[in-house]
Amino acid sequence: MFDKIIFEKIMKLSENSPQPKGLTSKTTQQVSDYFKEHFNSCLPQGYIEFLNVMNGFSYDGHSIFCCYNDEIEKNYPRYSSLDLVTFNTNFYANTDISDYILLGKSSIDYIGYIKAKNKYVIMTNGTMQHLKEFEAFNEMIMDFLKLS
């Protein structure tokens, strides 16, 4: 499960900046099915659990991608560039790199899921050099958002 303590820390970071509500399990399953069909990998379970609690997150230059929907369009228009499907589609179309599902970014890093290893990763957004690999989404988020 997406850790309640991490959720509380994220909410504390963003207490002056509301964040999108989570998605239904049906919606996350549809998005995961889309990824299986188009990117040869379902969404990783840890990220799905995150999406069920909050549909994206952005604070202080660190963003975790959302699934663009009517709520995002209406209440969080700046999140349109953080759409999971659009970002990955553009990334796959403009590079020859297909090893990852990209889940978020900062000005210097990407966070993602290594499909072949079933691991999460923080990597540079220039050379895709792995900075750290993680077994769990929660561990990666703690490090990426500097919550520890």
Side-chain angles (χ1 to χ4, degrees):
M1 290 289 301
F2 179 61
D3 193 300
K4 184 178 178 181
I5 294 169
I6 295 172
F7 174 73
E8 289 170 359
K9 286 182 178 187
I10 288 173
M11 294 311 290
K12 186 171 174 84
L13 272 182
S14 64
E15 57 192 354
N16 295 323
S17 175
Q19 301 297 319
K21 294 180 289 196
L23 300 172
T24 65
S25 295
K26 180 180 177 184
T27 300
T28 55
Q29 185 59 55
Q30 290 171 333
V31 174
S32 187
D33 291 345
Y34 178 89
F35 269 74
K36 180 69 174 167
E37 182 179 335
H38 292 89
F39 304 116
N40 297 319
S41 178
C42 295
L43 290 179
Q45 188 59 39
Y47 180 68
I48 288 173
E49 292 168 1
F50 166 81
L51 288 175
N52 287 333
V53 175
M54 55 191 331
N55 184 15
F57 173 77
S58 187
Y59 178 78
D60 197 28
H62 289 76
S63 300
I64 304 169
F65 296 146
C66 65
C67 293
Y68 198 74
N69 60 21
D70 291 341
E71 180 208 6
I72 299 287
E73 183 177 22
K74 180 179 175 186
N75 299 316
Y76 307 93
R78 66 187 182 90
Y79 276 45
S80 64
S81 66
L82 301 176
D83 176 54
L84 174 73
V85 173
T86 302
F87 197 92
N88 279 278
T89 300
N90 290 338
F91 184 82
Y92 275 63
N94 293 306
T95 70
D96 61 353
I97 301 168
S98 60
D99 302 337
Y100 310 98
I101 295 175
L102 299 177
L103 304 175
K105 67 184 184 99
S106 72
S107 59
I108 60 173
D109 302 320
Y110 284 131
I111 59 173
Y113 180 71
I114 309 167
K115 297 187 296 189
K117 290 185 173 181
N118 295 322
K119 289 186 175 187
Y120 296 92
V121 63
I122 297 175
M123 59 194 145
T124 62
N125 69 6
T127 62
M128 306 295 279
Q129 176 184 357
H130 292 196
L131 301 173
K132 291 184 182 176
E133 291 183 10
F134 304 87
E135 297 293 328
F137 181 79
N138 291 337
E139 295 170 2
M140 180 185 64
I141 293 305
M142 289 288 289
D143 194 281
F144 179 65
L145 298 176
K146 313 285 189 262
L147 295 175
S148 46

